[in-house]
Amino acid sequence: MLARVNTITFNGLEVLDVDLQVQLTSGLPNFIIVGLPDKAIAESRERVRAAVQSLGLKLPAKRIVINLAPADLLKEGSHFDLPIALAVLSVMGAVPASSLQSYVIMGELGLDGSILPVNGVLPVAVSAKNRGLGLICPAAQGGEAVWAGLDNVAAAPDLGTLLNHLNGTRVLPPPQAKQIEKTNSLLDLADVKGQESAKKALEVAAAGGHNMLMIGPPGAGKSMLAARLPGILPPLGIEEALETSMIHSVAGLLQNGGISFERPFRDPHHNASTPALIGGGRKASPGEISLAHNGVLFLDELPEFNKSTLEALRQPLENGSVSISRVNAHTTYPADFQLVAAMNPCRCGHLGDPSAECSRAPLCAREYQARISGPLLDRIDIQIEVPAVSPWDLTAVKKGESSAVVRARVIKARELQAARLRALGETQIRTNAGLRGKLLEQIAVMDLEAQQLLVNYADKNKLSARAYHRTLRLARTIADLQNETNISKIHIAEALSYRRSLSGKS
């Protein structure tokens, strides 16, 4: 007797079809799984056996062979439990084989027959919809599958309930799409004392999606500013939310089958390894840069990160994706994130303060700053100094603008950018930070005075072509915040003020 069901395995975000075949033959009782299963799949035999027994049934005293085709493709994950159990129950006659053919099946089994959550339901639902199939998945993740636009979803809490549904005795209710409620944890920009120039730079970074580096002494408020960036960013659109949620689904970070429209904010510690930050490891898992896709990656104490780890950021910052190659895996993850970094000017953090700087200044500052390579800095549009906050600012009663007020301007500026890009037929780029080549020339139109200022500055300070174009992108965003069609001299001047070297020199 032979039964077949549809299931999947993953290569990064790519969903690969697996034809799961079960055969019952006479011979010594045995339960064999072949087709390059990993340890989790090999152990599913005992989970399946216990789950079937919880229904009051018993596996037949025959030779049971499970084949995962194609046989040369490595299979990983506990989500094979449920398809194996249903295929075995099908050959036992407990569930009609015809009722399983129209589904892709995934789920982990508990010993009591409960169906437990697994990673990757959202991308599998998208794949199932493209194939014209339904999806059988854990009850906790039914809402996640509905976001993919899939109508035929059977989300069951346990194996017994699922069998009743498949046999038509008690049909499961259709799951509902869930949205994670917006939290009130977004911090308010009005709570930051002083630092008006840094706040304005943060607004420009948010409006144009520009990468940003803040340099200043300890306690100046760099981390406070970075933590408030999500509060002034526009919410994710439907397409962006699905893109981001698919990565989080594969990583097992979606909760209760819902997706969020808040932009992700990831802030790994500086001892993070290269695979943790960039992605990789034995299973080529997504790293922090992919988990921050369509959101913010905050790297505090930037020079303390491993140098090779920082250098690995260069390609994703340029391309918006990261390719991970391993002996048994080659996959690409989206990584279109906004980098915000913070650092002290030197190891002691008090460069330029005669009363506090160490005896090795300024040599220690040059050594410390040298940990950040020129090519990496070349990919950071805004580099500003964040000075220590004065006592007068700390004791001031009047607060600055709230995040809600700033966010309204940011959203308006982004809407201008989106409308302009749509008019030019551009669908891949979403913010000014992504403008390149001819597209930048078309959009960043300067008046004569602005052009003369930028050309003279570039000639005097030997700006590279990349630095020249970065200044244009920044000026375009500043003009958008002021609802100006063309870039004027004042926009170029402000953009140049955000282009300072680590030493604080232009």
Side-chain angles (χ1 to χ4, degrees):
M1 297 178 64
L2 180 69
R4 310 173 81 154
V5 299
N6 304 305
T7 187
I8 56 89
T9 191
F10 292 101
N11 178 27
L13 285 182
E14 186 182 4
V15 177
L16 305 176
D17 300 333
V18 174
D19 179 18
L20 191 152
Q21 307 162 3
V22 178
Q23 185 179 53
L24 257 62
T25 59
S26 58
L28 292 175
N30 204 348
F31 197 138
I32 303 170
I33 302 177
V34 297
L36 284 183
D38 71 345
K39 184 68 172 175
I41 301 173
E43 292 174 346
S44 69
R45 291 174 299 189
E46 301 307 320
R47 293 192 293 272
V48 169
R49 194 187 305 275
V52 170
Q53 288 177 346
S54 72
L55 300 174
L57 302 174
K58 189 175 181 180
L59 293 181
K62 292 186 176 182
R63 179 182 173 86
I64 303 173
V65 180
I66 311 289
N67 180 41
L68 307 175
D72 60 347
L73 178 66
L74 179 65
K75 313 339 182 274
E76 297 178 322
S78 60
H79 64 271
F80 284 90
D81 289 2
L82 186 57
I84 289 174
L86 289 177
V88 171
L89 289 168
S90 176
V91 295
M92 291 171 58
V95 58
S98 58
S99 65
L100 300 176
Q101 298 307 308
S102 60
Y103 290 100
V104 175
I105 307 170
M106 63 186 306
E108 180 182 332
L109 289 175
L111 299 182
D112 59 353
S114 57
I115 302 177
L116 307 177
V118 291
N119 296 351
V121 168
L122 181 56
V124 173
V126 173
S127 173
K129 182 183 179 184
N130 293 337
R131 294 172 60 192
L133 298 174
L135 178 67
I136 294 176
C137 66
Q141 295 170 301
E144 186 178 331
V146 175
W147 277 109
L150 195 61
D151 296 326
N152 188 12
V153 179
D158 56 70
L159 192 55
T161 304
L162 180 59
L163 289 186
N164 289 334
H165 173 80
L166 294 171
N167 287 314
T169 58
R170 188 175 181 182
V171 178
L172 286 164
Q176 301 298 314
K178 297 179 183 178
Q179 179 178 338
I180 298 175
E181 292 297 325
K182 185 176 180 180
T183 65
N184 295 319
S185 60
L186 293 179
L187 303 173
D188 200 326
L189 201 60
D191 296 332
V192 180
K193 300 284 189 177
Q195 304 298 8
E196 297 306 319
S197 296
K199 289 179 185 177
K200 181 61 189 299
L202 194 71
E203 180 180 343
V204 173
H210 302 285
N211 300 323
M212 181 176 181
L213 172 63
M214 294 177 283
I215 310 152
K222 304 184 294 295
S223 298
M224 286 185 67
L225 287 163
R228 282 153 179 80
L229 178 57
I232 64 174
L233 288 171
L236 292 169
I238 289 288
E239 184 180 342
E240 290 177 312
L242 288 175
E243 285 178 3
T244 305
S245 296
M246 283 204 294
I247 302 170
H248 288 198
S249 178
V250 168
L253 298 180
L254 289 189
Q255 299 178 354
N256 302 320
I259 70 173
S260 174
F261 287 84
E262 290 184 10
R263 293 188 181 271
F265 181 83
R266 307 292 299 185
D267 55 344
H269 192 264
H270 57 73
N271 67 356
S273 65
T274 300
L277 191 66
I278 307 301
R282 185 175 62 85
K283 295 185 178 181
S285 303
E288 292 289 341
I289 63 172
S290 295
L291 297 175
H293 181 63
N294 289 326
V296 178
L297 177 69
F298 176 48
L299 302 184
D300 200 5
E301 307 295 347
L302 187 66
E304 300 297 336
F305 281 81
N306 182 279
K307 186 175 179 62
S308 62
T309 300
L310 290 181
E311 292 305 298
L313 288 172
R314 287 160 53 179
Q315 181 253 351
L317 283 171
E318 196 73 22
N319 300 335
S321 63
V322 59
S323 296
I324 301 169
S325 297
R326 296 290 181 269
V327 172
N328 59 353
H330 179 86
T331 187
T332 299
Y333 286 109
D336 188 5
F337 59 94
Q338 184 174 357
L339 175 65
V340 178
M343 62 177 287
N344 297 330
C346 60
R347 185 174 292 279
C348 73
H350 298 287
L351 181 69
D353 183 354
S355 64
E357 69 180 7
C358 66
S359 59
R360 297 187 66 244
L363 177 61
C364 74
R366 288 197 293 269
E367 292 174 350
Y368 191 69
Q369 295 172 10
R371 296 185 180 188
I372 314 299
S373 71
L376 178 59
L377 287 173
D378 237 8
R379 289 164 171 80
I380 301 178
D381 289 352
I382 299 176
Q383 299 170 24
I384 60 167
E385 296 176 9
V386 182
V389 185
S390 71
W392 292 273
D393 285 330
L394 290 174
T395 55
V397 176
K398 184 179 179 181
K399 287 190 172 184
E401 288 183 313
S402 68
S403 291
V405 173
V406 177
R407 190 186 207 192
R409 289 199 297 266
V410 168
I411 291 175
K412 188 175 180 179
R414 288 217 178 185
E415 288 172 349
L416 285 173
Q417 295 167 45
R420 186 190 300 126
L421 289 166
R422 281 197 303 269
L424 294 173
E426 176 57 55
T427 58
Q428 299 299 316
I429 298 173
R430 291 169 177 161
T431 60
N432 287 338
L435 298 178
R436 300 287 188 278
K438 290 184 179 179
L439 189 61
L440 177 60
E441 292 177 6
Q442 284 179 278
I443 289 176
V445 180
M446 295 181 284
D447 62 29
L448 185 58
E449 284 189 336
Q451 189 175 27
Q452 287 176 342
L453 174 61
L454 181 55
V455 169
N456 291 337
Y457 184 93
D459 180 57
K460 180 180 177 181
N461 294 276
K462 307 301 180 186
L463 290 189
S464 66
R466 180 178 279 171
Y468 180 93
H469 291 144
R470 276 199 309 269
T471 305
L472 267 183
R473 289 196 295 269
L474 278 173
R476 179 65 269 171
T477 299
I478 295 165
D480 287 340
L481 282 167
Q482 298 174 10
N483 200 20
E484 297 285 348
T485 303
N486 290 338
I487 297 171
S488 64
K489 183 178 180 179
I490 193 170
H491 303 141
I492 294 293
E494 185 176 342
L496 290 171
S497 73
Y498 298 142
R499 291 294 310 146
R500 296 193 176 268
S501 65
L502 285 180
S503 62
K505 297 179 182 179
S506 299

